[in-house]
Amino acid sequence: MTNHRDAVAAGRELLIEIYRTMRTIREFEDRVHTEFAGEDIPGAVHLYAGQEAIAAGVCSVLSDDDYIASTHRGHGHAVAKGCDVTGMMLELYGKSGGLCGGKGGSMHIADFDRGMLGANGVAAGGVPLAAGAALSAKVRGTDQVAVAFLGDGGANQGAFAESLVLAVVWQLPVVFVVEDNGFAQATGTSFHLAGKQIALRGEAVGIPSRVVDGYDVFAVRQAAAEAVERARSGGGPTLLECKADRFYGHMEGWDQQAYRLESEIDELRSSHDCVKLFADRVLADESLTAEELSAVDAAVRARIDAAVEEARNAKEPDISELLTDVYASY
Amino acid sequence: MTNHRDAVAAGRELLIEIYRTMRTIREFEDRVHTEFAGEDIPGAVHLYAGQEAIAAGVCSVLSDDDYIASTHRGHGHAVAKGCDVTGMMLELYGKSGGLCGGKGGSMHIADFDRGMLGANGVAAGGVPLAAGAALSAKVRGTDQVAVAFLGDGGANQGAFAESLVLAVVWQLPVVFVVEDNGFAQATGTSFHLAGKQIALRGEAVGIPSRVVDGYDVFAVRQAAAEAVERARSGGGPTLLECKADRFYGHMEGWDQQAYRLESEIDELRSSHDCVKLFADRVLADESLTAEELSAVDAAVRARIDAAVEEARNAKEPDISELLTDVYASY
Amino acid sequence: MARVLSYLDAIGEALTQEMRRDPAVVVFGEDNIGGTGTNGKLGNAWGPTKGLHQEFPDQIFDAPITEAAFVGAAVGAAATGLRPVADLLFVDFAGVCFDQILNQAAKLRYMVGGKASVPLVLRAMWGTGMRRGAQHSQALYPIFAHIPGLKVVVPASPADAKGLMITAIRDQDPVIFFEHKMLYFSHGVVPEEPYEIPFGKARIVREGGDCTIVAIGRMVAEAETAAEQLAADGVSCEIIDPRTVSPLDEETIYASVRRTGHLVVVDESNPRCSAASDIGSLVAQNVFDALRGPVRMVTSPHAPTPFSPALEDAYAPSAARISEAVQAVLRRAVAA
Amino acid sequence: MARVLSYLDAIGEALTQEMRRDPAVVVFGEDNIGGTGTNGKLGNAWGPTKGLHQEFPDQIFDAPITEAAFVGAAVGAAATGLRPVADLLFVDFAGVCFDQILNQAAKLRYMVGGKASVPLVLRAMWGTGMRRGAQHSQALYPIFAHIPGLKVVVPASPADAKGLMITAIRDQDPVIFFEHKMLYFSHGVVPEEPYEIPFGKARIVREGGDCTIVAIGRMVAEAETAAEQLAADGVSCEIIDPRTVSPLDEETIYASVRRTGHLVVVDESNPRCSAASDIGSLVAQNVFDALRGPVRMVTSPHAPTPFSPALEDAYAPSAARISEAVQAVLRRAVAA
Ligand SMILES: Cc1ncc(C[n+]2csc(CCOP(=O)(O)OP(=O)(O)O)c2C)c(N)n1
Ligand SMILES: Cc1ncc(C[n+]2csc(CCOP(=O)(O)OP(=O)(O)O)c2C)c(N)n1
Ligand SMILES: [Mg+2]
Ligand SMILES: [Mg+2]
C-alpha cells in the first residue's frame, strides 16, 4: 500500500467522504445484484463491485464541473461523480424520474449537471467524448479536466488508440483511466493483452503513463491528483492503468463465471476488497473510528433502501416520451 | 548505410533485379507525373517516387505467393510485387485490359495472382486485410507471409492499432511496414506523431519493431528478411518503420507542396535519391558495371514507353461491365 | 419424427456441419470459445458457438475487442482461401468496423474487376425487446441492404436460420447474417441433414386473398398473430417473409399484390430509407396498376430505442398495429 | 448588385461569419489549416477552410488521421458548450468513425432523456463524377437519413450551401452536411450578410403541371436540363429540391404530386433503401389517390462506383435518363 499521509492530512472529512463513496457503490451494486436476481430490474447490468477504489480515488480529485465519460460498467463512476443514487436506481428500473427519464438504463446513465457524460454501451465508445469535453474546456479557457474511463478490453479498440494520439497532439486536459479487471467478458487479459501493460501504449505516443494498484484508493487518488494537476496546468494528457478485479460476473444473469476458479474469487473477496482494506487501514492508524465507519454504513444502507423502494413504486414513463428528445420527421 | 555484404553475396542477378525494380517504379512514376499533367490520366494519383527502396527491399524477400496489402500510394508496391506494368498503366487510364478491368484505378490496383491484395483508398484500410491473409496462411498451414504497407498518417488509424493487437494475440505471420515519408497530405509528422516513433507502438503491444533507413534498399531488405523469417517460422508479427520522403506532392494536380521548403525538396532529390544511392554504391564497390545499369535503364524506359502507348490506345471498358462483378438485385 | 430445435441451436448446427464439411470454414469473434486466457474453464461462449471449440479447436478462436481488425481480417482471409464466419455480437457494433464492411468487404470484388471474391459471413444479433437500450437494439439491415456488394439475410424461423446460414457460408459474397435476439429461444422443426435455402426466394408464410403483408424477422410472428385475428373478422391476409432483404424476391411480392391489390410492409427498423420504404416504393413503381389503395408501412418510429420496458413495448410494430394497418387499408378501399 | 460566389466559397463564407459571430464555433479536420508540423507554409488547406486560420487561429485546427477520435471529440465538445464543425473530407470515410456518428452523436440526446444536445456539423464531400473510384464517390445520405437523431443536409446551390451551413451550425442536433464535389466550382448569386435557410423546407426549382421531379444535390441541375428538353416537347415538369433529406419536406412534395399526378425521384445514391425509395413510398402511402401512374425512381445502379470514366459516366442518373423516366411515366398514363 502507498503512503497515505496526504490523505490523512486532508483530514477526517475527506476520509469519510471517500469511504462513503466506496460504501455507496458497494451497497448499490450488491443490492442491484439481489434485485436483479429477483427479476425486478430489466436489461443489461454490469456491476462495479470490487473496483470501487478506482472511481472513488479518481473522482475524489475532481470538481463538480470536471467531466467524466464512463463505460457499460458505469454505476461506480456515476456515484463517485456525485450522481443521485435514487435517480440512478429509478433509471435502472426504467422509471419516470430516472436520471435519463428511463430512456437510458444502466448502460446510459448520465448526469450532465454533474459532469457525468454518460455510461456507454460501446467498448471505449466514450473515450473520444472525454477528449472532446477536454477540448471544450481548453477552447473555452476554463481549467476543467475530463476523465475517460475504459476497461482492459476496451483498450484494444481503435477509438482508444486514436484518442491517445489526438489528446497528445492537441495537448488536451484529459486523463485516461484504464481499469484492468482481468477480463473482457469471459476472455482473460493474459490472452487479449498478450502479456503487455496498457500503460506502454500511452508512453508509445508520448503520454506519461503509470500502472496503479486499483485496490488502494490512496494510490489511485495520488496518481489521479498528479494527472489532473498536469491537465489543469496545461501539461496535457496522462494515462493511468488501474488494476482491480470485479467481484461479480461480467453481466448480471449472464455468466456463472465458469471461466474463473472459485478460489480466485474467494481470494479476491477476502484479501483484495478495497473497502475492507480502506477500513482496516484507517482503523489501524486511528485516523477514523469504528463508530464513524458504522455511521456511514448505516446511512448508506438507508439511502439505498430508500432508492430501491422509490424505484419500485415509481411510475413508468408516459408513452408520449417515446417521441420526445429526438427530431422525428415521421 | 548498412553493410550490404549479404546482398552482394547474393550476386549480380539479385542486384540487377533490385535495381530493375527501383528503376521501374521511378520511371513509372515520373512518366505518370508527366502524363497526368497532360491530362491524359483521370482520377487521383499518388506517386511513390523517392520511396522505391522500401517496396523494392521488402518485396525482394517475398515469394510470388506471399501477400501484400497496399495503400493509396501503391504503384511502387505493385511493381515490386511483380504486377505487370502495362496492366497497371492500363488500369490508371481506366482502360479495358487494366489489372482490374479499369474498375479500380490507381487507388485500387490489385493482382491476386501476384499476391497483391490491392491498393486502398482508406488510410490503413488494407492493414486488417493483410492480417487476414496471414490468418489464412496460418490456418491453411502454408508458410506464406503477409505484408501490410501503410503511411505515417495511416499509422494513427484505429484499424492499424487494432491490427497490431490482433496480430500479436493470434501470432500471425504478418509484417507491418510503416512508411514514414514525413507527411500526411500537407500535415507534418512532427505534428501528427507528436515526435514519437511508430515503432514504439509495436513494442508496446509486444511486437518486435525497428526503425529502418528507407533510402537504403539493403537496410530495408535486411530488416525485412529477418521479419519475414520470423513470420515464416511461426514467430509472429514484426513492425518495420521505414523512413523516406516522397519526391512529388501528395497527389498529382492537387498540391504545390507549399508546405515544404524548396530547399528541402532539392536536398532530398540530390542527397537522398535511393536509386542514385544504390547505383553509386554498386559502382563504387564494383559489384555492378555502368553498362549493366544503363542496360536496365534502357529496358525499363522502353517498357514504360510501351505501357503508356498501349494504355493510350486501349479501348474503354464495355458499358456492360458496369453491372458485372457485383450482385445487382436491381 | 420431426425434430424440434431452437433458432440458436439451428445456427450452431449449421456452423458445425459446415466446419465439418470444409476445413476452410473458420469461426471467430469475442468469446466465440470463451475463457481463453483465464484460469477457469474454456468454453464460456454465449450464443450459437458454445461448445463448438471441442470438435474444432483449429477452426474456432476468440478475438480481442478489435472489430475493425478482425472483420477486416475476415475480408483478407476470405479473399485468400478461407470462409470465415465472424461474430459481431450486436449489430450495433458494426459502427466500429463499418469501413471494413462498407469499403472493403462490399467493394473488393468489384474494384478488382472480379479477380477476387469475399466469401465471408458476418453474424449479428439485432432487434428490440430485450431492454438493451439504444445502442444494443437496432435493426440496421436497411443500411446494409443499401450497400451494393453485400447480401443481407434476416431469418425468421429456426429452419430458415439453419438453411440460410449454410447458404451464406457457401456463398461467394459477403453476407450479413441477422439473428434476432428475441428469436434465439423460439423453436421449430429443423431437418438434421445439411440443406441450403436459396437467397432471394421469399417464403409464403400464409396464403390469403385480401391483403399482402410483407414482414421481416421477428415481425413475421406478429403478422401471423394479426392475420389470425383478422381471419376471425373475415379478412384473409397473405404473409410473405422475404428471408433475404438483399437480394430481394420482388417477384413473389408482386405476384401476391397482383392477387390482393393491397400491401402492408412490416419492418422493425426505423422508417426512413428502410426496408419497408424500399418494398413499398418498388411495388408503387412496378405493380402500381394492381394496387387498389395506398401502400402502408408499419415500422418503429424515427427515434432511438428507449430502455424503459414501458416505452420499448410501444416502440416496435405489434400485431395490433399491423391489424390496424390492414384494416385501414381495406376500409379505405371499400370506401373508395 | 448581386454577388456571385462558388459553392465552395459560399461554405467558406458561412464558416467565417459563424466563427466571427460565436467563438464557440470551432472547425477542425485533416488539413483544415494544412501545413501544421512542416517547415513550409501554413495554410495548405483544401476546400472551404482555406485561409480561415489567419482570422481564427484559436478556432480552427488540423487533426491527425483519427476520425473516430476527432468526430467523437466533436460529440463531446458539442455536448459541453462548443459548436464544432468537423471535416470528414470524403463521406466514404464515415466508415472509420461510424460508431461515433451512429451510436454516440445521433443517440446521446435521446438516451440521456434530453439532458444534453449535440450541436455539431459534420462536413462530408460526396458524389460521383471526379473519377475517384468506389471508395471516394459514394452518396451515403440514405444511410444517415435512416438514423434517427441526425439531420441530413444536401445543398444543390451556392446560396443554399451558405444558408444551410449557417442553419446547421446554429441547430441543436448533429447535422451531416453533404457537399457535392462536382458542385464546388459551380457559381451562383449568394447574399453577403448571414442568413439561415430552414431545415425541412424544400425549394421549388421550377414550376410545372405534368410531372413532379424530386431531385437531390447534383441531380437538380440534371433535372433542370431534362425539364428544358421536355418543355420543348410540350411536357411541363415541376422540380423540387428537398434541400434536407432528414427532415424531409413531405408537404411540398405531396402538394406538387396532387397537382401533377406523377412522380419521378432522382437520387444519385444506390437504389435499395435509398432516398428515392423513401420518397416514392411516402407518396404511395400518403397521396396515393393523386397518383395517375406508377412512381419512378432514377438512381445509380446497385453497384459500387467504377473508376473508368467510360463506366462512371454511365453510372449516375443523367438528364437523358430523367427525360426517359418522365416520358415513360406520362406515356403510360396516356395509354391507360
Ligand atoms: C465495440 C464493442 N464490442 C463488443 C462489445 C461487447 N462487450 C460488452 S462489455 C465487453 C467486455 C469489455 O471488457 P472491458 O473493456 O475489460 O470492461 P469490463 O467489462 O471488464 O469492465 C464486450 C466485449 C461492446 N460493448 N462494444
Ligand atoms: C480514413 C481516411 N482518412 C482520410 C483520408 C484522406 N487521405 C488520403 S491520403 C491521406 C494522407 C495519408 O498519409 P500517410 O498515411 O502518411 O500516407 P502518404 O500519403 O504519406 O503516403 C489522407 C489524410 C483517407 N484516405 N482515409
Ligand atoms: Mg475488463
Ligand atoms: Mg506519409
Side-chain angles (χ1 to χ4, degrees):
Chain A
M1 278 234 158
T2 48
N3 180 316
H4 64 294
R5 255 174 312 164
D6 291 350
V8 175
R12 306 183 99 73
E13 216 163 298
L14 176 65
L15 289 177
I16 288 182
E17 266 329 295
I18 288 176
Y19 183 68
R20 190 190 311 282
T21 299
M22 293 204 293
R23 280 292 302 138
T24 304
I25 299 172
R26 176 67 53 85
E27 189 72 27
F28 189 94
E29 298 297 59
D30 284 348
R31 188 62 183 271
V32 167
H33 179 74
T34 315
E35 297 302 320
F36 189 94
E39 297 186 17
D40 255 10
I41 298 179
V45 172
H46 308 81
L47 301 181
Y48 192 74
Q51 304 176 215
E52 290 89 347
I54 304 173
V58 169
C59 294
S60 77
V61 299
L62 298 180
S63 329
D64 266 9
D65 66 348
D66 289 325
Y67 300 109
I68 67 168
S70 171
T71 68
H72 58 288
R73 199 175 301 288
H75 306 167
H77 310 135
V79 167
K81 194 65 178 61
C83 294
D84 174 54
V85 292
T86 303
M88 288 177 60
M89 197 63 85
L90 284 160
E91 191 58 36
L92 262 67
Y93 276 76
K95 294 294 183 72
S96 177
L99 277 183
C100 307
K103 280 175 164 170
S106 165
M107 276 197 288
H108 303 296
I109 280 194
D111 188 348
F112 278 71
D113 294 337
R114 292 283 172 171
M116 164 57 173
L117 307 182
N120 213 302
V122 179
V127 175
L129 271 56
L135 171 69
S136 171
K138 185 169 174 164
V139 169
R140 288 183 288 105
T142 73
D143 73 347
Q144 290 162 291
V145 161
V147 173
F149 288 100
L150 68 152
D152 48 272
N156 280 333
Q157 277 286 298
F160 170 58
E162 291 191 5
S163 297
L164 292 177
V165 170
L166 194 68
V168 74
V169 167
W170 283 356
Q171 282 290 294
L172 298 177
V174 61
V175 183
F176 300 97
V177 177
V178 185
E179 303 187 60
D180 177 359
N181 62 4
F183 304 93
Q185 295 184 166
T187 300
T189 48
S190 75
F191 172 73
H192 78 73
L193 296 180
K196 286 282 174 177
Q197 283 168 346
I198 298 151
L200 295 171
R201 303 188 194 179
E203 293 289 349
V205 298
I207 297 179
S209 304
R210 284 185 49 186
V211 178
V212 181
D213 176 357
Y215 300 115
D216 179 352
V217 70
F218 299 107
V220 174
R221 181 177 151 84
Q222 202 170 76
E226 280 171 33
V228 166
E229 170 51 25
R230 175 176 299 124
R232 275 203 218 293
S233 60
T238 303
L239 186 155
L240 304 178
E241 177 177 0
C242 303
K243 292 179 177 292
D245 288 1
R246 54 172 154 76
F247 279 10
Y248 293 108
H250 169 66
M251 182 169 88
E252 290 308 281
W254 178 73
D255 65 339
Q256 270 57 57
Q257 304 212 60
Y259 49 87
R260 292 168 98 171
L261 302 177
E262 246 186 85
S263 57
E264 241 176 278
I265 305 175
D266 290 347
E267 139 78 9
L268 175 66
R269 286 187 174 260
S270 61
S271 325
H272 295 284
D273 179 336
C274 61
V275 183
K276 267 198 226 149
L277 289 171
F278 175 97
D280 291 351
R281 195 151 112 185
V282 291
L283 293 177
D285 67 8
E286 295 179 3
S287 40
L288 291 181
T289 66
E291 290 66 40
E292 284 171 313
L293 296 184
S294 313
V296 170
D297 293 350
V300 164
R301 200 163 308 125
R303 205 165 149 221
I304 301 295
D305 279 345
V308 170
E309 196 55 26
E310 192 168 332
R312 279 185 182 153
N313 298 325
K315 281 199 325 241
E316 309 283 357
D318 190 89
I319 283 304
S320 66
E321 293 285 314
L322 194 56
L323 294 181
T324 58
D325 307 321
V326 62
Y327 169 77
S329 81
Y330 68 172
Chain B
M1 280 235 158
T2 48
N3 180 317
H4 64 296
R5 253 173 314 166
D6 291 348
V8 173
R12 305 184 99 71
E13 216 163 299
L14 175 66
L15 289 177
I16 288 183
E17 267 328 296
I18 288 176
Y19 183 67
R20 189 190 312 282
T21 299
M22 294 203 294
R23 279 293 302 139
T24 304
I25 299 173
R26 177 65 54 86
E27 188 72 26
F28 189 95
E29 297 298 60
D30 285 347
R31 187 61 182 272
V32 167
H33 179 73
T34 314
E35 298 301 321
F36 190 94
E39 297 187 18
D40 256 10
I41 297 179
V45 172
H46 307 82
L47 300 181
Y48 192 73
Q51 303 175 219
E52 291 88 347
I54 303 172
V58 169
C59 293
S60 76
V61 301
L62 299 180
S63 329
D64 266 9
D65 67 348
D66 288 326
Y67 301 109
I68 67 168
S70 171
T71 69
H72 58 289
R73 200 176 299 288
H75 306 166
H77 309 134
V79 168
K81 195 64 176 64
C83 295
D84 174 54
V85 290
T86 303
M88 287 176 60
M89 197 64 84
L90 285 160
E91 191 58 36
L92 261 67
Y93 276 77
K95 295 294 184 70
S96 177
L99 277 183
C100 308
K103 280 175 164 170
S106 165
M107 275 196 290
H108 303 296
I109 280 194
D111 187 350
F112 278 71
D113 294 337
R114 292 283 172 169
M116 163 57 174
L117 307 181
N120 213 302
V122 179
V127 176
L129 271 57
L135 171 69
S136 171
K138 185 169 174 164
V139 169
R140 289 182 288 104
T142 73
D143 72 346
Q144 289 162 291
V145 161
V147 173
F149 288 99
L150 69 152
D152 49 272
N156 280 332
Q157 277 285 297
F160 171 58
E162 291 191 6
S163 297
L164 292 178
V165 170
L166 193 68
V168 74
V169 167
W170 283 355
Q171 282 291 290
L172 298 177
V174 61
V175 182
F176 301 98
V177 178
V178 185
E179 301 187 60
D180 178 359
N181 62 4
F183 305 92
Q185 295 183 166
T187 299
T189 47
S190 76
F191 173 73
H192 77 72
L193 295 181
K196 286 282 174 178
Q197 285 169 343
I198 298 151
L200 296 170
R201 302 188 195 179
E203 294 288 350
V205 298
I207 296 180
S209 304
R210 282 185 50 187
V211 178
V212 181
D213 176 356
Y215 300 114
D216 179 352
V217 70
F218 299 108
V220 173
R221 181 176 151 84
Q222 201 171 76
E226 279 171 35
V228 166
E229 170 51 27
R230 175 176 298 124
R232 275 203 217 293
S233 61
T238 302
L239 187 155
L240 304 178
E241 177 176 0
C242 302
K243 293 181 178 292
D245 287 1
R246 53 172 154 77
F247 279 11
Y248 293 108
H250 168 66
M251 182 168 89
E252 291 307 281
W254 178 73
D255 64 339
Q256 270 57 56
Q257 304 212 59
Y259 50 88
R260 291 167 99 173
L261 301 177
E262 246 185 86
S263 56
E264 240 176 280
I265 305 176
D266 291 346
E267 138 80 9
L268 174 65
R269 285 185 174 260
S270 61
S271 326
H272 295 283
D273 179 335
C274 60
V275 184
K276 266 197 229 150
L277 290 170
F278 175 97
D280 290 351
R281 196 151 112 186
V282 292
L283 294 177
D285 67 10
E286 295 179 3
S287 39
L288 292 181
T289 67
E291 292 66 40
E292 284 172 313
L293 296 184
S294 312
V296 170
D297 294 349
V300 164
R301 200 162 309 123
R303 207 167 147 218
I304 301 295
D305 280 345
V308 170
E309 196 55 28
E310 192 169 332
R312 279 186 184 153
N313 298 324
K315 282 201 324 245
E316 309 283 356
D318 191 89
I319 283 303
S320 66
E321 293 286 313
L322 194 57
L323 294 182
T324 57
D325 308 320
V326 63
Y327 169 76
S329 81
Y330 69 171
Chain C
M1 228 204 58
R3 188 192 52 149
V4 167
L5 226 57
S6 73
Y7 185 95
L8 187 144
D9 287 336
I11 296 168
E13 188 166 274
L15 296 175
T16 304
Q17 293 177 338
E18 288 300 289
M19 279 197 278
R20 209 173 279 153
R21 182 185 62 79
D22 182 356
V25 177
V26 295
V27 168
F28 50 79
E30 290 145 30
D31 281 340
N32 260 21
I33 301 175
T36 304
T38 71
N39 291 324
K41 243 181 32 199
L42 208 62
N44 290 279
W46 53 322
T49 61
K50 197 168 183 72
L52 301 192
H53 74 289
Q54 273 153 343
E55 182 173 349
F56 308 103
D58 299 329
Q59 282 166 267
I60 181 166
F61 8 97
D62 280 348
I65 312 182
T66 54
E67 285 86 354
F70 76 68
V71 171
V75 179
T80 58
L82 299 188
R83 295 190 168 270
V85 180
D87 181 3
L88 257 191
L89 299 179
F90 294 80
V91 71
D92 315 69
F93 306 153
V96 299
C97 54
F98 197 58
D99 175 64
Q100 293 295 326
I101 302 171
L102 169 74
N103 290 320
Q104 314 298 338
K107 297 181 172 46
L108 186 67
R109 181 175 147 211
Y110 191 84
M111 291 190 301
V112 303
K115 293 204 178 126
S117 60
V118 184
L120 76 81
V121 180
L122 197 56
R123 292 183 41 229
M125 208 169 17
W126 71 285
T128 60
M130 221 186 226
R131 289 70 170 97
R132 282 294 185 276
Q135 292 175 338
H136 287 72
S137 305
Q138 294 171 87
L140 298 188
Y141 46 80
I143 286 179
F144 296 97
H146 178 68
I147 302 171
L150 301 179
K151 291 176 181 168
V152 180
V153 179
V154 192
S157 75
D160 276 9
K162 176 171 171 180
L164 290 168
M165 175 58 87
I166 290 178
T167 306
I169 292 173
R170 298 179 186 176
D171 196 90
Q172 282 303 105
D173 282 319
V175 177
I176 321 289
F177 195 88
F178 280 81
E179 306 172 8
H180 200 295
K181 52 175 84 72
M182 299 306 282
L183 293 180
Y184 267 160
F185 300 102
S186 68
H187 286 75
V189 172
V190 177
E192 224 161 321
E193 72 286 357
Y195 56 95
E196 293 187 38
I197 293 179
F199 289 174
K201 288 272 166 262
R203 175 171 65 112
I204 298 182
V205 179
R206 178 188 178 111
E207 298 194 351
D210 295 332
C211 182
T212 302
I213 304 177
V214 177
I216 297 167
R218 184 166 72 88
M219 291 299 113
V220 173
E222 293 294 320
E224 288 187 85
T225 307
E228 283 299 330
Q229 294 162 354
L230 288 162
D233 298 345
V235 176
S236 150
C237 293
E238 177 140 309
I239 302 178
I240 297 175
D241 167 8
R243 282 174 164 157
T244 59
V245 172
S246 180
L248 179 70
D249 183 354
E250 296 177 51
E251 275 319 315
T252 297
I253 296 170
Y254 296 162
S256 178
V257 171
R258 282 194 196 100
R259 279 195 304 275
T260 65
H262 294 287
L263 175 70
V264 170
V265 192
V266 191
D267 174 4
E268 198 182 314
S269 75
N270 301 115
R272 306 288 322 276
C273 305
S274 59
S277 72
D278 191 63
I279 293 166
S281 63
L282 281 171
V283 165
Q285 172 167 298
N286 297 319
V287 277
F288 179 79
D289 293 335
L291 280 174
R292 285 186 282 136
V295 305
R296 190 91 175 202
M297 299 171 281
V298 184
T299 67
S300 296
H302 193 60
T305 313
F307 163 68
S308 171
L311 296 178
E312 195 188 24
D313 288 342
Y315 182 80
S318 59
R321 278 181 57 207
I322 298 168
S323 295
E324 263 170 53
V326 171
Q327 277 162 341
V329 150
L330 294 179
R331 205 174 319 121
R332 219 179 144 293
V334 172
Chain D
M1 227 202 58
R3 187 192 50 150
V4 167
L5 226 56
S6 73
Y7 185 94
L8 187 143
D9 288 336
I11 296 169
E13 186 166 276
L15 296 175
T16 304
Q17 293 178 339
E18 287 301 289
M19 279 197 278
R20 208 174 281 154
R21 182 185 62 79
D22 182 356
V25 177
V26 294
V27 168
F28 50 79
E30 291 144 29
D31 281 340
N32 262 20
I33 301 174
T36 304
T38 72
N39 291 325
K41 244 183 31 205
L42 208 62
N44 290 279
W46 53 322
T49 60
K50 196 168 184 70
L52 301 193
H53 74 289
Q54 273 152 344
E55 182 174 349
F56 308 103
D58 300 328
Q59 282 166 267
I60 180 165
F61 7 99
D62 281 347
I65 312 181
T66 54
E67 286 86 354
F70 77 69
V71 171
V75 179
T80 57
L82 298 189
R83 294 190 168 271
V85 180
D87 181 4
L88 258 192
L89 299 178
F90 293 80
V91 71
D92 315 71
F93 307 153
V96 299
C97 55
F98 197 57
D99 174 64
Q100 293 296 325
I101 302 171
L102 169 74
N103 289 321
Q104 315 298 337
K107 296 180 173 47
L108 186 66
R109 181 175 147 212
Y110 191 84
M111 290 191 302
V112 304
K115 294 205 177 127
S117 60
V118 183
L120 75 83
V121 181
L122 197 56
R123 292 183 41 231
M125 209 169 18
W126 72 285
T128 60
M130 222 186 225
R131 288 70 171 95
R132 282 294 185 276
Q135 293 176 337
H136 287 73
S137 305
Q138 295 171 88
L140 299 189
Y141 47 79
I143 286 179
F144 297 96
H146 178 67
I147 302 170
L150 301 179
K151 292 176 180 167
V152 179
V153 179
V154 192
S157 77
D160 276 9
K162 176 171 172 180
L164 289 168
M165 176 56 88
I166 290 178
T167 306
I169 292 173
R170 298 179 186 177
D171 195 271
Q172 282 303 105
D173 282 320
V175 178
I176 321 288
F177 194 88
F178 280 80
E179 306 172 8
H180 199 295
K181 50 176 86 70
M182 299 306 282
L183 293 179
Y184 267 160
F185 300 101
S186 68
H187 286 74
V189 173
V190 177
E192 224 162 321
E193 72 286 359
Y195 57 95
E196 293 186 38
I197 292 180
F199 289 174
K201 288 273 165 263
R203 176 170 65 112
I204 297 182
V205 179
R206 177 189 180 109
E207 297 193 351
D210 294 331
C211 182
T212 301
I213 304 177
V214 177
I216 297 168
R218 183 166 73 88
M219 292 299 114
V220 173
E222 293 294 322
E224 288 188 83
T225 306
E228 283 300 330
Q229 293 163 354
L230 288 162
D233 298 345
V235 176
S236 149
C237 293
E238 177 139 311
I239 301 178
I240 297 176
D241 167 8
R243 283 175 163 153
T244 59
V245 172
S246 179
L248 178 70
D249 182 353
E250 297 177 49
E251 275 318 315
T252 297
I253 296 170
Y254 297 161
S256 178
V257 172
R258 282 193 196 102
R259 279 195 304 275
T260 65
H262 294 285
L263 175 70
V264 169
V265 192
V266 191
D267 174 4
E268 198 182 315
S269 74
N270 301 114
R272 307 287 322 277
C273 305
S274 60
S277 71
D278 192 64
I279 293 167
S281 62
L282 281 171
V283 165
Q285 172 167 298
N286 297 320
V287 275
F288 180 79
D289 293 336
L291 281 175
R292 286 186 282 136
V295 305
R296 191 89 174 204
M297 298 171 282
V298 185
T299 67
S300 296
H302 192 61
T305 313
F307 163 67
S308 172
L311 298 177
E312 194 187 27
D313 288 342
Y315 182 81
S318 59
R321 279 180 57 208
I322 298 168
S323 296
E324 264 172 53
V326 170
Q327 277 162 341
V329 149
L330 294 180
R331 203 171 323 119
R332 220 179 142 294
V334 171

